[in-house]
Amino acid sequence: MEQELLVKELLLKNNNSFTLLYDNYSKNLYGVIYNLIRNREEAEDVLQEVFVKIWNNIDSYNESKGRLYTWMLNIARNTTIDRLRSKGFNNSQKNLSSDNFVYMLEDNSKTMNRIDAIGIKRFIKKLKPKCIQIIELLFFQGYTQQEASDELEIPLGTVKTQNRNCMNELRMMINE
């Protein structure tokens, strides 16, 4: 189903369109959520919350501002970050065994494999190293712009400008 038609059907609250949307995008969104949250059950809960938000807020999607997937990805990312910052999630993490943190020992190539799962690895590889670093922090590790600024030891305004420029560059590559 074409994106325009899918959005129209979603706006009409057509259950079949929701099923199609879920079938086509749930694996990719789950991958992004899991990459940030690192807990299968929490990631599944967040994914469900994301699709409820998509369903309830589809009327706020504006095609002229970007693709449907990008809009949904932002909802997924923001919902995951909200969950990570929630008091309940933070309290639940205090009692986890060290087995839950084995992922920290993984090498960076696995992160790139997860990125490839949503089909943008080849585009990101073409960006300048600074862009790759900013995109990795902001979009795949869930850093805020302030946290990225602190991590990279550059001014917040520079992070914002570089992020905007990098995303524009990535958008142009994808649209070519």
Side-chain angles (χ1 to χ4, degrees):
M1 182 181 283
E2 182 181 310
Q3 179 178 309
E4 257 181 59
L5 181 58
L6 179 60
V7 171
K8 285 179 184 176
E9 291 295 314
L10 288 168
L11 287 168
L12 294 172
K13 299 298 183 188
N14 178 329
N15 288 334
N16 292 334
S17 63
F18 181 79
T19 301
L20 182 64
L21 182 78
Y22 186 86
D23 290 346
N24 286 324
Y25 294 102
S26 62
K27 288 180 183 173
N28 290 343
L29 293 178
Y30 176 82
V32 170
I33 293 166
Y34 183 82
N35 189 36
L36 293 171
I37 217 161
R38 298 294 187 169
N39 178 301
R40 185 184 54 78
E41 290 175 8
E42 285 288 333
E44 289 170 357
D45 285 347
V46 171
L47 181 66
Q48 181 177 351
E49 187 178 337
V50 165
F51 273 96
V52 168
K53 285 182 179 184
I54 291 167
W55 180 255
N56 290 334
N57 297 304
I58 190 65
D59 54 329
S60 69
Y61 168 67
N62 183 342
E63 191 175 313
S64 68
K65 291 186 178 179
R67 300 170 120 181
L68 178 64
Y69 178 71
T70 305
W71 180 75
M72 293 188 312
L73 189 61
N74 283 328
I75 292 172
R77 186 178 156 275
N78 292 338
T79 304
T80 304
I81 291 170
D82 289 346
R83 178 69 61 97
L84 287 169
R85 291 181 180 161
S86 74
K87 190 174 189 177
F89 181 81
N90 287 328
N91 287 339
S92 74
Q93 298 301 299
K94 290 179 182 174
N95 297 321
L96 292 178
S97 73
S98 61
D99 294 343
N100 290 306
F101 299 97
V102 171
Y103 74 87
M104 290 180 178
L105 302 175
E106 295 175 350
D107 64 354
N108 288 339
S109 66
K110 291 189 180 181
T111 300
M112 290 310 288
N113 288 337
R114 277 189 231 102
I115 292 168
D116 194 40
I118 61 172
I120 60 172
K121 178 181 175 182
R122 64 187 170 108
F123 294 109
I124 291 176
K125 278 185 162 182
K126 295 178 185 177
L127 294 172
K128 296 176 233 163
K130 190 56 110 177
C131 285
I132 294 170
Q133 192 174 30
I134 286 175
I135 289 172
E136 173 69 26
L137 290 175
L138 295 177
F139 294 96
F140 297 106
Q141 293 184 22
Y143 280 53
T144 64
Q145 290 180 335
Q146 182 61 57
E147 291 167 340
S149 169
D150 295 342
E151 177 74 19
L152 299 172
E153 298 177 349
I154 58 176
L156 177 60
T158 304
V159 169
K160 290 180 178 184
T161 301
Q162 288 181 350
N163 179 42
R164 184 176 52 250
N165 292 341
C166 294
M167 293 311 293
N168 285 337
E169 189 176 330
L170 185 59
R171 192 174 293 118
M172 287 187 324
M173 274 192 254
I174 290 172
N175 289 329
E176 286 179 347

